[in-house]
Amino acid sequence: AVEGFTESVALEVKPEWNIKFQLIEPGGFRTDWSGRSMVFAEQRHPAYDHLDAKKKAEGRHHTQVGDPIKGAKAMYDLAVMEDPPFRIVLGSDAYQAVMGKIDTYSENYKKYEKVSNSTDIDE
């Protein structure tokens, strides 16, 4: 949702305002986010019985590849760039995940290319 909103607003803002938008997609950083600062509901909703978010978070705790100091520096460097990228991932895990997603999207779009291109008006 944030990604779609940012993409839309970036297209609507007047260029002369010189507002730069960035989508930073971070991977996991070795903080206490998935440790004692993570709080879980005492009762789980039945729709999520097949997932164990607490166990998954605890399994990631202090195993993330990202260094928070390096991540903060990278974000600062991006914030002060004259011509920053609109979209960037931070962390080798995030990079790997995004590249996998791009491959999946590409395969899907190619597979259904005929359907995608079948809806134009015949002239």
Side-chain angles (χ1 to χ4, degrees):
V2 172
E3 183 176 16
F5 176 78
T6 304
E7 288 174 342
S8 297
V9 172
L11 294 172
E12 295 174 2
V13 171
K14 291 182 176 182
E16 58 266 24
W17 291 352
N18 201 29
I19 296 173
K20 309 279 191 214
F21 290 86
Q22 293 181 321
L23 288 168
I24 299 174
E25 302 177 68
F29 283 87
R30 207 168 287 187
T31 65
D32 197 38
W33 180 83
S34 62
R36 65 178 180 212
S37 62
M38 180 70 69
V39 177
F40 295 91
E42 290 184 29
Q43 289 188 317
R44 292 171 40 178
H45 191 281
Y48 298 97
D49 282 347
H50 64 292
L51 302 173
D52 191 341
K54 184 175 182 180
K55 183 177 178 181
K56 191 171 186 177
E58 288 171 347
R60 289 184 188 158
H61 189 51
H62 285 288
T63 64
Q64 302 92 334
V65 297
D67 179 332
I69 302 296
K70 291 178 180 179
K73 182 178 181 333
M75 287 185 201
Y76 174 80
D77 291 344
L78 288 162
V80 298
M81 273 184 185
E82 178 124 359
D83 188 25
F86 178 72
R87 181 185 317 270
I88 190 166
V89 296
L90 291 181
S92 59
D93 55 341
Y95 182 82
Q96 183 179 359
V98 165
M99 296 309 289
K101 184 176 181 178
I102 288 170
D103 289 344
T104 300
Y105 275 18
S106 181
E107 290 170 13
N108 180 70
Y109 291 137
K110 287 175 185 173
K111 182 177 180 179
Y112 295 102
E113 178 181 7
K114 187 174 181 179
V115 175
S116 296
N117 292 317
S118 70
T119 61
D120 293 353
I121 293 174
D122 294 325
E123 293 196 43

